[in-house]
């Protein structure tokens, strides 16, 4: 008797029931991420306004080799000992916090006027891992809750779900965050015996709304967070991509009280395929009243049990790109920023041309970023998306995916980052045909 | 008034209390990982038997470039369309499951006689992320528990702690796993109203014990797991590194009932700095009685919220190395395996020479792998480790780190993987001096 036949006759097979697996696996947030990632692949003929992917521009694989060489030369520094350091750093497991924290710190100082000790930075596998680390640390027990501007990026909702941390939505309003609602939600949560830990938001060109906080609102938010004694989790993937207006200071650059945990990413500004993000967590931590380091030190312990460390090879590629650009990525992204701005204006003009006032179709007008929100006079759900993709060959993202509960039923997100003006026109023609189709049916 | 002075006068600063952060941060398992990672750096003059790091052998940074080119050529396949595919796959976010699953599947078929659909494989950021994914999926509520052979790798204990999943220790015994104890622990847990989900073990050259399961024990474990209806989580980082004896079949290669979740890693066999691991999770999953895919599909949802996807650049480097070696890594590791075997024998001989029978010092005799366990006639704790590092310039790992509760107080782990025979001799001389020192004091 062979081993295989022995096994197959003697042993019952395994079947798992989804009901016996973690609840997140039945949660809309986790299903959303997969749907959004894969819908465009399912309909390759459609024009897709769905993915918030950066445009590869002139990227060539040779860039990866060149970045890697730039980092290698920097570490080698012309010495034999340096060459051995570079070899070991690339080959071996590295420090959990990362091998390019110093380069990230120089980049933050150059581009964002954020000045922090590199030891308060953790280099993560994309910004997503940084979210998981922060939320895992902050979720101590079932009383803890996270606040997040609503509609929210699905990544924060999903990360919260993975660590069993409820999310209390805070209205985005038209200013990016409704501070009165934030205060009310914190008060309400406390009255319910809950412990609000932090408020997550994307202050610049938010996903999915495209909204940005103006400067006075940034100051007021920091004041309010101090008053309420909650942390701010600032996520800043799109900050460079303003269309003309002067960049606004990040919350972290205005933060003198260690109030802000700052999440950054090189996915949109350098190279998604390296999957390099980071978190600045300079909050002091005490244990039994004594100083015990910073939140970054605590996050490092958690990271050691999630990914051990971020692939040094991927860090080295990003490190080389930072070196090659003298740490000035805003400047390095000037062409990309202009390209995204042109696409945004093309999209706004295209909507105005196809839906002249008065129209049952409306939209907001972000001054930068990758996204805008369209309001339609019908329910824009996943079924309509499938119909739209199949029948009209145009894909968009139903806004309901970005709401924890009700909300966004008659709204959809359009992403412009990966579409040429020609594709935008074609996509908008198809979208207009969908609207006509739907209006004729109602 | 400047913004900074406005802020610093108006806003109280943030201080976090460790008591308000997740309990894992005060857990010995998470502190162990950091201690073990950093002790060697703190005492650079010491000979360190602590880290289980692979030996870089002849690794050169140029290898990374060559691997990347091999993968690029493979995907490009001499066509313009292929070149565009390679560029996009390297630049963009990729599928959550990975971009080299097909290459991993061919490697498993070649080296391990494991034949699985590539769609049941997830490429992860090291094997550690795979552990987190599996444990997160299996921990549905507070009744779930994990079984793990004890002493255990700290990574599985830490991952379990992060998802609030208690670990029930199962005696390793002298056979790698005590099957009677496994059956008793499952029975006991069920009687206590708990739900044992899976048993984690390293069947080949376990960390920290160096023990391997013989072939009959492997069959009996699979029979018992089916009888008990629990999953087996097989972790196999060291399987190639047997010292002479014929390789034993992995549990997964004997598994005809989807009973085994298989965790793999290229950290020890190719390149730690790529941080590429994987999980094979071909278990069918049902929802409401209907087939809903495999466990790999569910793990993919979780991964989309932890790291989104594994850096394609790091995957491409490993993919290129697999291609360059015709998927036969066991063969490609022949020199490394011989080197580790030589070091293991040198370590065993060196112990025998320094502690001739009868001796109060004992040790086990693994037939491969990176580790062995030494028993000493005194408590070998972290304080003694610090003393040993400072006074005798030799570092080892206290075994108590690998026990959930009591255990291992008078044992220590020696790792041989990164030490030349000369270093092993020097380290053993120093270790013998430590023993003499301690025996003189008692």
């Amino acid at each position: 008797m062979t081993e295989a036949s022995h096994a197959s006759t003697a042993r019952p097979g395994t079947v798992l029931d989804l009901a016996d697996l973690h609840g997140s696996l039945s949660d809309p947030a986790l299903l959303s991420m997969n749907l959004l990632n894969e819908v465009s692949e399912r309909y390759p003929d459609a024009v897709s306004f769905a993915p918030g992917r950066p445009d590869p521009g002139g990227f060539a694989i040779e860039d990866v080799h060149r970045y890697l060489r730039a980092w290698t030369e920097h570490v080698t520094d012309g010495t034999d000992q340096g060459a051995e350091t570079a070899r070991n750093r690339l080959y071996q497991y590295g420090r959990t916090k990362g091998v390019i924290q110093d380069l990230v710190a120089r980049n933050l100082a150059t581009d964002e006027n954020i000045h922090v000790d590199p030891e308060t930075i953790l280099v993560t596998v994309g910004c997503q891992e940084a979210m998981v680390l922060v939320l895992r640390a902050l979720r101590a027990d079932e009383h803890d809750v996270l606040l997040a501007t609503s509609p929210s990026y699905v990544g924060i909702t999903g990360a919260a779900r993975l660590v069993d941390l409820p999310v209390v939505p805070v209205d985005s309003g038209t200013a990016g965050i409704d501070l009165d609602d934030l205060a009310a939600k914190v008060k309400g949560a406390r009255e319910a015996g809950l412990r609000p830990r932090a408020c997550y938001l994307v202050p610049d060109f938010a996903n999915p709304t495209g909204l940005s906080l103006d400067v006075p609102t940034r100051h007021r938010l920091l004041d309010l967070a101090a008053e309420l004694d909650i942390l701010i989790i600032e996520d800043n993937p799109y900050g460079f991509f303003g269309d003309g207006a002067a960049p606004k200071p990040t919350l972290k650059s205005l933060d003198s009280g260690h109030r802000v945990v700052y999440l950054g990413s090189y996915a949109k500004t350098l190279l998604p395929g390296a999957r390099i993000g980071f978190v600045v967590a300079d909050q002091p931590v005490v244990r039994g009243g004594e100083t015990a380091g910073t939140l970054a030190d605590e996050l490092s312990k958690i990271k050691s049990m999630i990914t051990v460390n971020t692939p040094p090879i991927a860090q080295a590629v990003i490190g080389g790109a930072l070196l090659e650009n003298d740490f000035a990525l805003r400047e390095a992204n000037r062409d990309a920023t202009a390209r995204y701005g042109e696409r945004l204006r093309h999209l706004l003009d295209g909507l105005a041309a196809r839906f002249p006032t008065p129209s049952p179709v409306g939209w907001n007008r972000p001054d930068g970023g990758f996204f805008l929100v369209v309001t339609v006079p019908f329910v824009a759900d996943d079924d309509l998306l499938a119909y739209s993709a199949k029948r009209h060959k145009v894909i968009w993202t139903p806004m309901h995916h970005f709401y924890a509960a009700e909300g966004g039923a008659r709204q959809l997100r359009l992403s412009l980052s990966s579409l040429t003006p020609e594709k935008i026109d074609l996509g908008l023609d198809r979208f207009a045909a969908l609207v006509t189709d739907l209006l004729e049916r109602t």
Side-chain angles (χ1 to χ4, degrees), chain A:
Chain A
M1 194 165 73
T2 68
E3 280 165 5
S5 70
H6 162 78
S8 58
T9 52
R11 300 179 196 133
T14 309
V15 177
L16 299 171
D17 194 316
L18 197 61
D20 297 329
L21 302 180
H22 188 244
S24 62
L25 291 168
S26 306
D27 194 277
L30 272 79
L31 304 178
S32 290
M33 190 67 124
N34 266 28
L35 174 82
L36 300 181
N37 283 342
E38 287 171 16
V39 65
S40 305
E41 281 170 34
R42 236 181 301 152
Y43 301 100
D45 293 344
V47 173
S48 182
F49 289 102
R53 296 180 165 202
D55 185 301
F59 171 77
I61 291 177
E62 189 49 39
D63 296 345
V64 175
H65 291 281
R66 199 180 64 250
Y67 294 152
L68 194 51
R69 281 193 293 268
W71 177 86
T72 302
E73 274 162 36
H74 169 75
V75 175
T76 298
D77 197 25
T79 69
D80 285 353
Q81 202 192 331
E84 187 58 19
T85 300
R87 186 178 91 108
N88 273 325
R89 213 168 275 175
L90 212 58
Y91 176 83
Q92 279 294 9
Y93 298 94
R95 284 190 67 208
T96 303
K97 284 185 180 175
V99 299
I100 59 165
Q101 298 153 280
D102 55 330
L103 308 180
V104 173
R106 290 172 71 177
N107 168 230
L108 283 174
T110 304
D111 276 335
E112 304 292 359
N113 195 28
I114 294 173
H115 302 274
V116 290
D117 179 351
E119 280 300 301
T120 65
I121 298 173
L122 253 84
V123 183
T124 53
V125 181
C127 189
Q128 188 65 36
E129 191 194 20
M131 291 181 198
V132 171
L133 298 178
V134 174
L135 299 193
R136 174 68 296 176
L138 293 179
R139 200 283 192 187
D141 65 37
E142 68 281 7
H143 298 100
D144 295 307
V145 296
L146 174 72
L147 301 139
T149 50
S150 174
S152 299
Y153 170 53
V154 290
I156 195 72
T157 315
R161 194 68 191 80
L162 282 187
V163 300
D164 299 313
L165 178 66
V167 179
V168 177
V170 174
D171 281 352
S172 290
T174 52
I177 186 165
D178 179 334
L179 295 176
D180 292 338
D181 193 48
L182 173 60
K185 290 288 169 60
V186 168
K187 187 161 172 282
R190 284 182 177 150
E191 283 168 3
L194 300 173
R195 184 161 59 167
R197 302 304 302 258
C199 180
Y200 168 89
L201 79 165
V202 181
D204 293 279
F205 318 117
N207 179 4
T209 61
L211 294 172
S212 299
L213 276 62
D214 62 24
V215 178
T217 303
R218 290 170 196 241
H219 284 287
R220 284 204 301 274
L221 172 59
L222 287 166
D223 288 339
L224 181 60
E227 195 185 311
L228 297 170
D229 196 17
I230 58 168
L231 291 170
I232 297 289
I233 302 173
E234 175 178 35
D235 185 7
N236 184 24
Y238 310 108
F240 291 175
F241 305 125
D243 187 24
K248 299 182 182 74
T250 59
L251 296 170
K252 188 66 193 166
S253 72
L254 304 174
D255 173 31
S256 58
H258 307 297
R259 184 62 57 188
V260 179
V261 175
Y262 182 86
L263 307 181
S265 169
Y266 295 113
K268 310 298 187 290
T269 57
L270 279 176
L271 184 49
R275 301 286 312 117
I276 297 294
F278 61 90
V279 51
V280 180
D282 56 0
Q283 287 67 32
V285 174
V286 296
R287 176 170 45 201
E290 311 256 317
T291 302
T294 65
L295 181 58
D297 298 327
E298 301 303 318
L299 299 183
S300 163
K301 291 186 209 164
I302 298 177
K303 183 170 167 60
S304 76
M305 293 300 173
I306 293 184
T307 57
V308 185
N309 57 0
T310 299
I313 289 175
Q315 292 189 64
V317 168
I318 294 300
L322 290 172
L323 288 158
E324 183 173 299
N325 289 295
D326 260 336
F327 307 101
L329 291 193
R330 194 182 284 277
E331 175 61 25
N333 273 275
R334 205 152 53 158
D335 287 354
T337 301
R339 190 162 58 233
Y340 295 133
E342 187 198 343
R343 289 173 184 188
L344 174 59
R345 273 171 277 128
H346 202 85
L347 180 57
L348 286 167
D349 293 348
L351 284 165
R354 283 166 187 83
F355 303 102
T357 318
S359 167
V361 176
W363 55 92
N364 67 352
R365 290 167 184 78
D367 55 356
F370 284 14
F371 310 105
L372 59 76
V373 176
V374 176
T375 305
V376 289
F378 44 79
V379 171
D381 59 11
D382 296 352
D383 287 343
L384 186 67
L385 169 59
Y387 176 79
S388 175
K390 216 181 292 186
R391 177 69 175 270
H392 293 283
K393 299 196 191 313
V394 60
I395 292 173
W396 34 267
T397 307
M399 278 291 288
H400 77 82
H401 286 286
F402 305 107
Y403 286 88
E406 298 300 294
R410 290 161 182 264
Q411 291 192 314
L412 50 92
R413 187 191 74 178
L414 298 185
S415 169
L416 54 95
S417 56
S418 57
L419 296 176
T420 60
E422 296 69 34
K423 283 276 185 191
I424 288 173
D425 281 333
L426 180 61
L428 283 180
D429 287 344
R430 292 175 177 183
F431 179 67
L434 171 75
V435 171
T436 303
D437 176 357
L438 268 284
L439 290 180
E440 280 168 1
R441 289 156 172 263
T442 52

